[in-house]
Structure formats: structure tokens, C-alpha cells
Amino acid sequence: MNVQQTKDWLESGKSAFIIKALQNLQAYLLQQGDLKEEKERINQILNQIPITTFLPCFDTTSHLQLNLIVSVFSKLIQEVNVEYSILNDNIVFEFLLKGYQHPFEHVRRLVMNQIKRCKFNVIFSKPETFAEILNRGMIDDEISVVKIVNDIIINNICGNEEGLNNFFIEYKNLFLEPLLNLLKNKNEIYKFRVYELMSKISGKSERAFNLIIENKIFNYFINELNENKNDILVLLNYLEIFKLFSLSSFENRGINYLSKEGGFKMLIDILLQNIEDTIIYSFILQLIADLSDKKEDLFFENNDDMIIPKVIIDKLFDEDLSNTNQKETQIVAVTVIATLCKGSRKVFQQVLLENSKHCVKYLSFLVDSLNDQLRRAFLHGFGSLLESNKLTDEDIDQFVGQLENNVLRKRVDLTNNSNLNISNSYLMNYLMYSLKEPFPETRCALYHVLKGMSTRIHLIRDHINNYPGFFDFITNRTTEPDKETREWKFMVVQVLYQTLHHFPNIANVDSKNIIDLKTYLLRGPYVADVMEEAQAVVASQYVD
């Protein structure tokens, strides 16, 4: 390529020549080759054509020329020290000043990506200018530009103590206050963007979270949520922020803050008002499940009573399992029931054990559903109930008894399937038969139930140890071709061994099986070959 001629065309000021030059450059830069060759081509161009030569090419209304200059310039600028250029080259700095307001979104995105390459000290070397650019970016019509701005503020600025101090205190009037003013704007999109940004910043550090609380940003949010609870579209956006702040904040402290400010009681009120709205109803219930996983006592009063009304609980059990079109609400129902019950023995007893109709309906999700995804959701929920330390062995015995006597036994009687009658444990028969299915997601869910059973010594004694060949299966490394299923199986072995180790004489498990479990643990989840040494070491521990 004739670089000098290309330079002359770029400097000619004539659109046809500029486009021809950019087309040649684009073709040259896109030639096949490794990274080293690509870098050499870029440096060859930059050694003969200063980067500033390209800047006037952006001053055009031609979309062809703009697409070409963005393509070429974004390649060349990779080899330029942007931080040095911003601090020492007024022409490059002027380009940024004009570029962030350019009508062509690709140019604005290009400008923001260059600022993204700058550390916070460069940004705060010219705080007025960069604050203006970032604030303008927050209200950009192009969402891809907004995402880059978010990334700059969250990581480049608020990713360290000094940047946080500059953003929230030292230059608060330049950076934070314009964003707070957007919260007073009637434009709901701008408000959502600010709350989303603050939610993500709150997870950067304890200091970041505290600064956001000190500025009462989520006090505004609670008020907005209350004022907009009758506007479905706006409400959905605010519920997304509720979830994001709760789960993204530092150590999930947003959960405690929103709870203290009455956010969760408000959430229940909104749920009651929208009980017939499938979208809102499902979203809030899933949110309750997600948040309860992080903080179990969130929806309970001091006396362990739920703040979730009975009408909501009853509705959870009214799902029509024959209607596959209601899959999403069915999955949410199963998930919420398990999540609430595993966090409180009192709730578990009231909702399931003391209400046989509810209990049988919940357990029937396992076998009556026509949807595999719902079945997997039940299995994971059931496993989490079995392993909950809030529930006693007596509770679990009664619960498993309900499953065996009122659900699984009836299924065996109906199907007359000999595979479901191998042992006197209907639950183990069902689980082991189901593990013949090849689907990894289903197998993981089934292993979750076995893991939950393995936390209870009486379930090991009465169910697991009574199934012929179980220990040979669980220590057989050839059954799981997938990484995730291997890891779930390893967790079962791990928990099973730990429980047997703590209660060595209760389950009457053969010492050979315990040796096999220990050997499996020593070798980890992925080793497939026989290792007699490991078995010998473990066996020696059991020689009396």
C-alpha cells in the first residue's frame, strides 16, 4: 500500500479521496495474519500518518465515510497511548470533546471506549470535562453508549477508594449531583439508569455501599416504588432494581437496608394487589425465593410467623399441573414453597406437615407434572428441604413418609413397574430408576435429593443403605460423562461420608463401602483410573 498517497488523500479535504483512502486502509488492516503482523501494519501506518490526520474525517454527514473512519480509527487507536494523548495533545482532547456529542452513535461509542482505557487519575485531571461527557453519556439514546459509561463509572472511577472519594465527595457537584437530579426527572428511563448504576456501584466495596446509603439514593427509590406501584410497566422496572440492589450490593446489605425501610412489606402489598397478574405475581414470587436464599429470615416476624399472607400461600398450591401453558407459575410456586419452608420449621409445619392436602399437592409436583423443567425445580427444592438445618429429623421422617405412602406407592401400584420395587424404599427406587435418564440437568437435580438424604443418618440407614448396589453405583466413575453431574455426584459422596463419619455405628454400612467412599474423595471427582494405593491407605484406617 502506498502510505504517502493515502496520507495525501486524507489531507485533501475531498470526500471522494478521503473515502478511497479509508477503504484502502481498511482493506490493509483487515488482511489475514497473526497479532504480531497486525500490530506491525498499524505501526507502519502511524509512523507515516499521525493519528491527528484522521480526526477531520469524522466531520462529515456521509454514513459511508463515518463507518469507514470508525472502523480504521478504532484499529489504529489501539496502539496509541490514549492517556498520554489526552494529557498532552490538545487536538486529541478536542476530538473527545466534539466526539461525545457526535450525531453518529458509532462515533460516540468510539469516544467512550477511549475514555474507558483511562485510569481514574486521568479522568480527574480534567474533572469538569469528563463529568460533562459521562453525564451526557448517561442520557444517550443509544444503550450501548450508556453501558460503556456505566463501566467507566463503576470500574475506572468507583473501583478504588480515591475514585470513590472524588466521585461522591470531592467532585460531588460535578459527578453525583447531576445524576441525583435525573432522579427528579419525569423520564423513567433516566431514573432506571441511575438506580441501576448505583446498585452496581454498591457492590464494589463496603465504602461504596455506605456512600450510596449516606446520599439517601435508595430512599428516593422506595418512595418511587410506592408511587408507581399501579403502573405495571414502570413497576416491573423498579422490581428489577429492587432485585439488583438486594443481590448486587456489598455482602447483600441492600437486603437489610430495603427491609429496614419497609421495602419488603411494600413488596407483599404489591403482590396482593397484582395476584391475578401473571407477570407481576411470578416476578415477585421468584424475587422472594431469590432473596430468601440469601437471607432466610427475611419474610418472617420475630416469632417466626410469615409476613406472606395465607391467600398467597393457598394460591401456590392451586396450580393446575395438567396445564403446560402455566409452566412458569408452576415452577415459581414449587421454588417459593421450598425456599420458605426450608428457612423456618414453624412455616414448614404450618404449610406442609400440618396440612395434608397442601403436602400431598406439593409432593405430587414430582410425579404428576407433564413438564421436566418443573420436575427438576421440585427435585432441587426437595433436596434443599432435606438438607435444611432448620428442620428436625422427625420433620423429615414425616415428610418423606408422606411422599412414600401418598404419592410414590400409589404410582408403583398404578404402573406395576418392577424397577420401582427393588427395595422397600419407594423414594430410593424412584431416584435410582430416574438416574437411568441421560439428561444432565435432571441427573443433577436427582443428585441434589441424594445429597439432602445423605445429611440425615436415619435416611441413610432406612433408605440409602437398603437399596442394593447403591454404594457400587455412587463410587462408579464411569456413570457421569459431564462435568456438572460428576461434581454433583462427588458432593453426594462427600456429604454421605461426612455423615457416616460422625455417626459410625448407626446406619450399619459395610466398612468396604466406607473405604470406597473415602477413596473416591481422595481421588477427587475427575480421576477415572483405579488407584490401589489410595484404597490401601484408606483401608489401613479401618483395620482394627
Side-chain angles (χ1 to χ4, degrees):
M1 188 185 75
N2 189 328
V3 178
Q4 184 56 50
Q5 185 184 57
T6 300
K7 182 174 181 291
D8 292 339
W9 284 348
L10 288 171
E11 293 174 340
S12 69
K14 296 180 180 180
S15 181
F17 286 132
I18 292 173
I19 289 173
K20 180 67 174 175
L22 292 173
Q23 287 173 333
N24 289 346
L25 285 166
Q26 184 185 54
Y28 182 64
L29 290 170
L30 292 178
Q31 287 180 22
Q32 289 187 342
D34 56 25
L35 289 174
K36 182 181 177 183
E37 291 172 328
E38 181 182 341
K39 191 172 182 177
E40 286 174 353
R41 285 195 293 271
I42 292 173
N43 286 326
Q44 179 194 356
I45 294 168
L46 290 176
N47 286 337
Q48 299 181 60
I49 308 176
I51 194 72
T52 52
T53 303
F54 294 91
L55 301 182
C57 300
F58 289 96
D59 189 14
T60 181
T61 57
S62 166
H63 273 232
L64 174 59
Q65 182 173 318
L66 285 169
N67 276 311
L68 286 167
I69 184 58
V70 168
S71 172
V72 171
F73 193 81
S74 60
K75 286 276 187 185
L76 298 177
I77 198 72
Q78 293 174 13
E79 297 302 318
V80 174
N81 186 328
V82 173
E83 293 184 322
Y84 178 84
S85 297
I86 287 174
L87 294 174
N88 298 283
D89 193 327
N90 288 333
I91 297 178
V92 172
F93 189 60
E94 285 295 322
F95 163 70
L96 294 180
L97 287 178
K98 292 180 180 179
Y100 84 92
Q101 300 180 72
H102 200 284
F104 193 50
E105 68 270 15
H106 296 298
V107 178
R108 302 198 301 276
R109 189 161 55 240
L110 175 64
V111 168
M112 293 303 176
N113 273 322
Q114 303 323 305
I115 297 174
K116 185 179 172 182
R117 295 172 61 191
C118 299
K119 296 184 180 66
F120 78 95
N121 59 310
V122 174
I123 293 172
F124 286 107
S125 68
K126 301 176 186 293
E128 293 86 358
T129 302
F130 283 105
E132 182 184 342
I133 293 173
L134 295 176
N135 290 328
R136 176 67 176 264
M138 282 295 293
I139 60 173
D140 199 285
D141 293 334
E142 180 62 37
I143 192 63
S144 61
V145 174
V146 180
K147 286 182 178 179
I148 302 169
V149 172
N150 270 255
D151 202 8
I152 294 167
I153 295 174
I154 294 166
N155 297 312
N156 298 40
I157 295 177
C158 295
N160 61 78
E161 290 293 313
E162 190 175 345
L164 276 170
N165 185 69
N166 286 343
F167 188 86
F168 281 93
I169 300 173
E170 188 73 21
Y171 300 106
K172 178 179 178 178
N173 64 315
L174 296 175
F175 288 89
L176 182 62
E177 286 186 1
L179 297 180
L180 297 181
N181 288 334
L182 289 179
L183 297 180
K184 301 171 186 175
N185 194 293
K186 291 183 179 181
N187 189 314
E188 294 297 336
I189 294 175
Y190 296 167
K191 292 179 184 179
F192 179 83
R193 289 176 181 178
V194 174
Y195 286 130
E196 182 182 42
L197 172 65
M198 294 301 159
S199 297
K200 292 177 179 178
I201 291 174
S202 74
K204 295 301 289 184
S205 65
E206 183 176 19
R207 171 74 169 150
F209 177 81
N210 290 337
L211 284 168
I212 285 171
I213 298 304
E214 288 169 15
N215 282 279
K216 302 185 183 302
I217 293 167
F218 280 89
N219 287 69
Y220 299 141
F221 170 76
I222 290 292
N223 293 333
E224 290 278 358
L225 177 62
N226 189 46
E227 290 174 7
N228 289 283
K229 59 187 178 184
N230 295 320
D231 186 328
I232 300 300
L233 293 178
V234 176
L235 177 59
L236 280 170
N237 283 336
Y238 278 99
L239 290 175
E240 286 281 3
I241 295 299
F242 196 108
K243 178 179 181 179
L244 182 64
F245 181 56
S246 296
L247 301 179
S248 299
S249 56
F250 181 75
E251 295 180 348
N252 303 130
R253 293 186 187 182
I255 294 177
N256 293 329
Y257 177 80
L258 291 175
S259 177
K260 177 183 165 186
E261 296 297 319
F264 289 98
K265 289 186 177 179
M266 192 184 300
L267 202 63
I268 299 303
D269 289 341
I270 295 170
L271 180 59
L272 284 170
Q273 291 174 18
N274 295 276
I275 196 168
E276 300 303 325
D277 186 301
T278 304
I279 297 175
I280 299 290
Y281 171 78
S282 298
F283 188 96
I284 294 180
L285 285 179
Q286 187 60 58
L287 179 57
I288 288 171
D290 292 340
L291 297 178
S292 295
D293 265 344
K294 296 295 182 181
K295 195 172 187 299
E296 289 184 341
D297 58 351
L298 195 59
F299 293 94
F300 302 105
E301 305 283 8
N302 292 333
N303 60 357
D304 222 15
D305 285 332
M306 278 193 302
I307 66 172
I308 299 175
K310 184 177 182 298
V311 65
I312 299 296
I313 298 300
D314 290 341
K315 183 172 172 59
L316 293 174
F317 292 93
D318 287 340
E319 294 295 335
D320 179 8
L321 295 183
S322 66
N323 189 345
T324 55
N325 292 325
Q326 294 180 1
K327 178 186 69 174
E328 295 303 325
T329 58
Q330 292 167 0
I331 291 171
V332 168
V334 166
T335 305
V336 171
I337 291 168
T339 302
L340 292 175
C341 289
K342 76 178 182 180
S344 164
R345 186 187 181 208
K346 185 174 181 179
V347 172
F348 178 71
Q349 291 175 327
Q350 288 177 347
V351 172
L352 291 175
L353 291 190
E354 295 172 4
N355 189 324
S356 58
K357 182 181 176 182
H358 278 182
C359 193
V360 172
K361 179 61 186 285
Y362 171 69
L363 294 171
S364 69
F365 275 91
L366 174 62
V367 293
D368 291 345
S369 170
L370 301 176
N371 183 270
D372 286 338
Q373 192 178 354
L374 176 57
R375 177 170 166 245
R376 291 194 295 268
F378 172 86
L379 289 168
H380 280 298
F382 186 62
S384 69
L385 285 169
L386 295 179
E387 63 192 1
S388 170
N389 58 12
K390 298 287 182 72
L391 309 182
T392 67
D393 288 347
E394 291 76 16
D395 295 332
I396 295 300
D397 271 339
Q398 186 179 343
F399 191 49
V400 171
Q402 286 268 29
L403 176 62
E404 291 226 312
N405 297 324
N406 294 320
V407 179
L408 294 177
R409 177 180 290 177
K410 292 179 180 178
R411 184 175 190 234
V412 172
D413 293 341
L414 286 172
T415 60
N416 198 26
N417 188 336
S418 60
N419 289 302
L420 296 174
N421 212 12
I422 291 177
S423 75
N424 59 7
S425 169
Y426 290 101
L427 177 54
M428 284 300 295
N429 294 341
Y430 173 80
L431 294 174
M432 297 305 291
Y433 177 69
S434 299
L435 276 167
K436 293 180 180 180
E437 297 178 27
F439 312 113
E441 290 180 339
T442 300
R443 296 177 71 82
C444 290
L446 291 163
Y447 279 130
H448 194 169
V449 176
L450 286 171
K451 175 173 172 276
M453 294 177 69
S454 298
T455 63
R456 311 273 177 177
I457 191 65
H458 60 103
L459 293 183
I460 298 174
R461 179 193 63 206
D462 300 337
H463 295 269
I464 290 177
N465 196 38
N466 276 333
Y467 189 89
F470 172 78
F471 285 93
D472 290 335
F473 168 81
I474 205 66
T475 55
N476 182 346
R477 295 177 178 279
T478 64
T479 66
E480 306 304 327
D482 302 288
K483 178 178 181 292
E484 191 174 7
T485 53
R486 286 185 183 185
E487 290 173 351
W488 268 103
K489 189 175 188 181
F490 183 80
M491 284 191 283
V492 174
V493 173
Q494 196 171 36
V495 173
L496 185 56
Y497 177 79
Q498 289 169 351
T499 305
L500 289 171
H501 185 71
H502 283 105
F503 305 97
N505 302 314
I506 295 179
N508 298 319
V509 175
D510 190 285
S511 61
K512 175 190 177 300
N513 293 331
I514 298 177
I515 290 172
D516 289 344
L517 292 174
K518 180 66 172 177
T519 304
Y520 193 103
L521 292 178
L522 284 174
R523 291 162 60 197
Y526 304 113
V527 180
D529 57 302
V530 176
M531 191 186 287
E532 295 181 1
E533 248 180 85
Q535 284 192 313
V537 170
V538 177
S540 67
Q541 299 175 11
Y542 292 90
V543 176
D544 198 357

